[in-house]
Amino acid sequence: MRFPLVPAFLFSLLIAVCLSAGAWMTEGSLLKAYRGILESRFAIALDRTAEGAMHAASLGVSLESQEGTLGAALRRERALDADILGMSVQDARGRSLYGDGLLPEPASPGTLGRDLIDDLGLPAGRILLRYDTRALEIPSVEIRQAMRGHAVPIVAGGALLGFLAAWALRVGRDGRGRLRLPLMLAFILGGGLFLMDHQALRIIDRTLNPLIETKVESIGNGARSLIDKALDLGIPFDQLQGVPEYFESLRRHYPELERVELKVVPPGGIDAAAVGKSLWLPISARGNAVAVLEVVPDNRHAAAQIHGLLLDTAFLGLVALLIGFELLSLLTQTSAFRNAPEAAGTGAVRTLPAGQVRGVLFIFMMAEELNRPFLPSLTHALLPGGAGHAPLLVSLPIVIFMAIVALGQIPMALWSESLGRRRGLMLGAGVAGIGYGLCAFADSYSGLLLARAFSALGFTLVFTSAQGYIVDQADPGARTAGLAIFIRAILAAALCAPPIGGFLAEYFGSGPAFLAAAGLCLIALCLARVMMSATRPHDRLHRARLAPGALGETWRMPGLRSLLLGCAVPAKLILSALCFFLVPLILEADGYSLSSIGRVQMIYPLMMVLCVPLFARWGEAPRQDARPRKIVLGGLIAGLGVLPVLFWPGLGAIVAFLFLLGLGQALSITPQSSMMASYAHHGHGRHSAQVLGLFRLVERSGSAAGPALAGAAMGLLGPPATLILFGLLTTGGALLYGYGQWRSASDAYGSLP
């Protein structure tokens, strides 16, 4: 009875880690939402003062000459909100001109700024606002205490349930018991994450809803102060001009407002029953109440914000669950799980090499996928001021990485064979970890490029070593199943890592996110040392060597070029150019957070994970080869997926594009790989490694060229034309391949068995 306690403890620890991660990310989402709503309240004061300052500047009044009027506006805004400690005005060179209250500094905590632009679009100055940080710190402490106080018993209870369930199933004593672990993991993690989301909803009701109402009241107070000022100047109430138009502009600018209306106070006063959820702000003239300003908050906007926040927590919970499944698969390959059947006197199940490398590959691939949401924006921030061809320069870190991976496929594969697959993978993980560490401390554009090149070398060695570890197997069935596991591990990492990377970059910065990637590389290195076999599964008598002219001979195989250039290259072009490069830039320009960008980037790998197994056997007939038709149809779906973004720009269109891209490539990837395998095995004596090596080289070259082409096209043509270009490349390539298949239907290589 002693030995089964070890896997039971590991299983309970896995549940505790995943639930803790879910609670931590949910807490971070709540804190970010609170900060965003609070600072948007203070941004109202900045907008009001900046509007008047820029209007005066457009009439030729300099900021220095506006000290009387603009200084009065600063004092008025401070009087409207007790949490505003001070405001100040700076000129275009950053010199402080004048202010009111506790003067803010650009880098001090609790400081917000608003740029002032003249009528020519040139910077004229800046208005700074400093708010009382206690307005953020005190509620933040309450949110942390409420979330952690609720999460601790959930984590402890989930860990205890996991331990009891694993022990009751006799994990390690009965192989069938291990098959029930994923079901238990989903049940316990799903229940725990649901309870945490319920607590998050209670925190939202208690903290965020009152904050939204306070923001609406601040908008109303600003409008009331302008009306009070007009009345104090002696303008009769019934002769106020432009009030409805001003209220309409407020409603358009602030979606939290449903209605703003100025009403005369009736003789009998205001009926309390008529107030309801409205805010009634009295307006006085010479000490007498003459009217009220009715401000009605838009509950639909608040509900949309809350639903969006709950959607965030649901996505984070899904990521925690998926990571839990992958880590469970990793745990079942440890010695505690593998040796337990022997301890119980049962036959041990032989672990496939793909099972040994799957967890290592998943952890390592997560390191690279973490930077997908924030790498383009980080690169843009590091560009030298006034640099020309900015979109092309932003694409270079991705281009350099992909180019090194493409060019290094064959030499790194041969080197990993001479080193030994495990040693090659460990060395590559170490080199990549150093590269990600250099990215974390890169403070210049050139430094980032160098660090990305270094991490690409390690990535290539890891990729080729892991793939070679599986391909080295003598059993073709084990090799095929192993490659399927290999692809699933990569897709799972692409599904889980972007939301986490966006979360880390948004809350802690890109440097800590890259350090987390370096830490994952270190974990992968240690796992490779423990999990992978030090000896090759078999000793091959004849090692594959790249003979002179081998690639050229392979390239001339009939039908191979049309498959590579018509389908494989366009598929990688559109994926790397749009999904990895252009989509993050478009979403960031539209104001979406890095966490949101990471969640949107989950759509493509999610479609691949769900649809690749579904489409693998779809349309197959015993005497009919449907692979070319599936490849063509998949390319058309992926290429035409750019149409929603062209005609209905916005987040929904981008979601639709990624959905169609994943659908099309899921339909075409399996028959495409099958066609390549057919070319490799029916090449009239040519070694399969030459075909597969050429396939990877050309495919990765498309990944490298995609961002560079997209960057150049954006700088010359703009985003819409760039989308059209890649859509035409993908659909045109699919149609050309289909035409070539139709023309060569009788050719020996045109219709492979």
Side-chain angles (χ1 to χ4, degrees):
M1 293 294 292
R2 183 181 68 84
F3 192 79
L5 296 180
V6 176
F9 171 75
L10 293 176
F11 184 66
S12 66
L13 181 62
L14 169 63
I15 290 177
V17 169
C18 292
L19 287 177
S20 299
W24 177 64
M25 290 188 288
T26 301
E27 176 189 298
S29 296
L30 292 172
L31 293 174
K32 174 182 174 294
Y34 190 90
R35 175 187 286 273
I37 298 174
L38 178 68
E39 293 188 346
S40 68
R41 185 183 105 198
F42 300 125
I44 296 172
L46 287 171
D47 290 341
R48 285 194 291 250
T49 53
E51 183 178 1
M54 288 189 291
H55 179 70
S58 66
L59 299 176
V61 183
S62 65
L63 288 178
E64 292 85 348
S65 303
Q66 298 183 43
E67 183 173 359
T69 56
L70 189 53
L74 299 182
R75 290 190 293 273
R76 183 175 65 248
E77 295 298 338
R78 277 200 63 220
L80 290 175
D81 196 330
D83 288 327
I84 297 179
L85 299 179
M87 300 180 69
S88 66
V89 179
Q90 295 180 339
D91 63 10
R93 290 180 290 180
R95 297 180 305 175
S96 181
L97 300 178
Y98 46 85
D100 183 70
L102 184 60
L103 297 184
E105 299 176 2
S108 62
T111 298
L112 303 175
R114 175 74 155 81
D115 292 328
L116 301 177
I117 307 298
D118 61 16
D119 53 342
L120 298 178
L122 300 175
R126 186 173 176 82
I127 297 179
L128 297 179
L129 180 149
R130 184 172 181 179
Y131 64 87
D132 190 351
T133 55
R134 290 177 296 180
L136 177 64
E137 293 170 355
I138 295 175
S140 297
V141 171
E142 295 177 356
I143 291 174
R144 289 191 183 96
Q145 290 177 346
M147 195 66 212
R148 294 175 185 180
H150 193 75
V152 168
I154 293 177
V155 173
L160 179 60
L161 285 177
F163 181 85
L164 294 176
W167 181 78
L169 290 173
R170 296 296 191 269
V171 175
R173 296 179 65 88
D174 186 357
R176 292 174 298 176
R178 289 200 302 274
L179 299 179
R180 303 188 187 106
L181 281 182
L183 181 61
M184 295 303 303
L185 180 69
F187 176 76
I188 297 173
L189 276 184
L193 294 171
F194 174 80
L195 293 176
M196 289 181 186
D197 283 349
H198 178 69
Q199 175 68 1
L201 183 59
R202 294 175 58 187
I203 294 175
I204 289 171
D205 290 334
R206 190 167 62 250
T207 59
L208 298 188
N209 283 339
L211 189 61
I212 294 174
E213 295 177 0
T214 304
K215 179 180 177 180
V216 172
E217 184 178 2
S218 176
I219 298 171
N221 283 330
R224 180 179 64 171
S225 68
L226 294 178
I227 298 174
D228 287 340
K229 182 180 179 181
L231 295 176
D232 291 340
L233 293 175
I235 302 175
F237 178 77
D238 56 355
Q239 296 182 18
L240 293 174
Q241 300 295 319
V243 174
E245 292 80 7
Y246 174 67
F247 287 166
E248 180 62 23
S249 68
L250 288 179
R251 195 186 64 80
R252 289 196 305 266
H253 190 68
Y254 300 109
E256 298 88 353
L257 285 178
E258 181 178 343
R259 189 174 74 255
V260 184
E261 188 174 353
L262 187 62
K263 294 184 176 181
V264 178
V265 177
I270 300 174
D271 185 6
V275 175
K277 294 183 178 180
S278 303
L279 298 174
W280 294 73
L281 306 175
I283 295 176
S284 303
R286 296 182 176 87
N288 298 320
V290 296
V292 291
L293 188 65
E294 182 185 11
V295 183
V296 182
D298 189 347
N299 294 327
R300 292 171 300 176
H301 179 75
Q305 286 183 297
I306 293 171
H307 291 158
L309 184 57
L310 291 177
L311 183 62
D312 290 350
T313 61
F315 264 101
L316 295 174
L318 175 63
V319 170
L321 185 61
L322 292 173
I323 292 176
F325 282 127
E326 292 299 324
L327 295 180
L328 176 61
S329 175
L330 177 62
L331 282 180
T332 55
Q333 304 302 324
T334 62
S335 59
F337 281 81
R338 294 203 308 265
N339 295 337
E342 298 174 355
T346 61
V349 179
R350 185 176 67 89
T351 303
L352 292 176
Q356 297 175 1
V357 81
R358 174 181 175 177
V360 180
L361 190 64
F362 170 75
I363 296 294
F364 178 81
M365 287 297 175
M366 280 190 66
E368 173 58 25
E369 298 292 337
L370 284 178
N371 67 65
R372 297 288 186 210
F374 64 86
L375 182 59
S377 59
L378 171 64
T379 308
H380 189 272
L382 292 176
L383 283 180
H389 308 288
L392 180 60
L393 294 178
V394 170
S395 71
L396 283 186
I398 303 176
V399 172
I400 288 176
F401 185 92
M402 295 294 186
I404 292 176
V405 172
L407 297 175
Q409 288 292 308
I410 295 177
M412 288 294 185
L414 298 176
W415 191 28
S416 72
E417 185 179 11
S418 62
L419 284 175
R421 302 304 189 186
R422 186 179 76 166
R423 291 178 58 192
L425 196 149
M426 292 172 62
L427 177 61
V431 172
I434 295 174
Y436 293 128
L438 293 175
C439 289
F441 296 102
D443 56 358
S444 65
Y445 178 74
S446 58
L448 180 64
L449 292 181
L450 180 62
R452 288 293 291 164
F454 204 76
S455 58
L457 291 173
F459 180 92
T460 310
L461 186 55
V462 170
F463 185 88
T464 54
S465 298
Q467 182 175 250
Y469 190 76
I470 297 171
V471 174
D472 285 348
Q473 307 308 302
D475 183 4
R479 188 185 306 129
T480 302
L483 289 175
I485 294 174
F486 179 85
I487 294 173
R488 284 200 297 269
I490 296 175
L491 291 176
L495 186 60
C496 296
I500 298 176
F503 180 88
L504 292 174
E506 187 172 346
Y507 288 95
F508 304 103
S510 58
F514 273 120
L515 289 178
L520 288 175
C521 291
L522 179 61
I523 294 174
L525 188 153
C526 297
L527 288 176
R529 177 69 177 83
V530 175
M531 303 291 297
M532 295 175 63
S533 174
T535 58
R536 296 188 181 89
H538 68 285
D539 294 325
R540 291 180 295 174
L541 297 178
H542 303 286
R543 293 183 178 180
R545 288 291 181 266
L546 193 62
L551 289 181
E553 183 183 1
T554 304
W555 177 254
R556 290 188 292 271
M557 292 176 65
L560 180 62
R561 282 172 290 183
S562 63
L563 178 63
L564 290 176
L565 299 181
C567 300
V569 171
K572 291 301 180 181
L573 279 173
I574 194 171
L575 176 63
S576 62
L578 302 189
C579 184
F580 296 161
F581 173 68
L582 194 58
V583 165
L585 289 179
I586 292 176
L587 292 178
E588 186 190 22
D590 290 342
Y592 289 96
S593 65
L594 296 177
S595 299
S596 300
I597 295 173
R599 288 189 295 273
V600 170
Q601 288 184 311
M602 289 178 63
I603 297 172
Y604 170 79
L606 180 62
M607 292 299 300
M608 294 289 287
V609 169
L610 295 178
C611 296
V612 166
L614 181 65
F615 291 150
R617 298 180 180 273
W618 177 71
E620 295 294 337
R623 296 183 179 180
Q624 186 178 13
D625 188 4
R627 293 175 297 179
R629 291 194 296 272
K630 292 165 70 173
I631 292 174
V632 173
L633 179 60
L636 292 177
I637 293 174
L640 296 176
V642 303
L643 295 179
V645 187
L646 291 174
F647 295 107
W648 303 282
L651 180 62
I654 289 178
V655 169
F657 161 68
L658 293 176
F659 175 86
L660 293 174
L661 178 64
L663 184 68
Q665 296 204 355
L667 178 62
S668 61
I669 189 172
T670 300
Q672 189 179 128
S673 300
S674 178
M675 293 282 284
M676 291 306 306
S678 298
Y679 279 112
H681 286 94
H682 299 276
H684 292 296
R686 301 174 181 90
H687 198 279
S688 62
Q690 297 175 12
V691 177
L692 296 177
L694 180 64
F695 174 64
R696 293 298 182 194
L697 174 64
V698 175
E699 188 182 46
R700 294 285 181 173
S701 298
S703 298
L709 182 59
M714 275 189 64
L716 296 174
L717 307 174
T722 302
L723 291 169
I724 294 175
L725 173 63
F726 282 93
L728 289 176
L729 284 174
T730 306
T731 54
L735 291 175
L736 287 175
Y737 173 72
Y739 176 75
Q741 287 291 307
W742 176 72
R743 288 290 304 270
S744 60
S746 59
D747 189 88
Y749 296 104
S751 180
L752 293 170

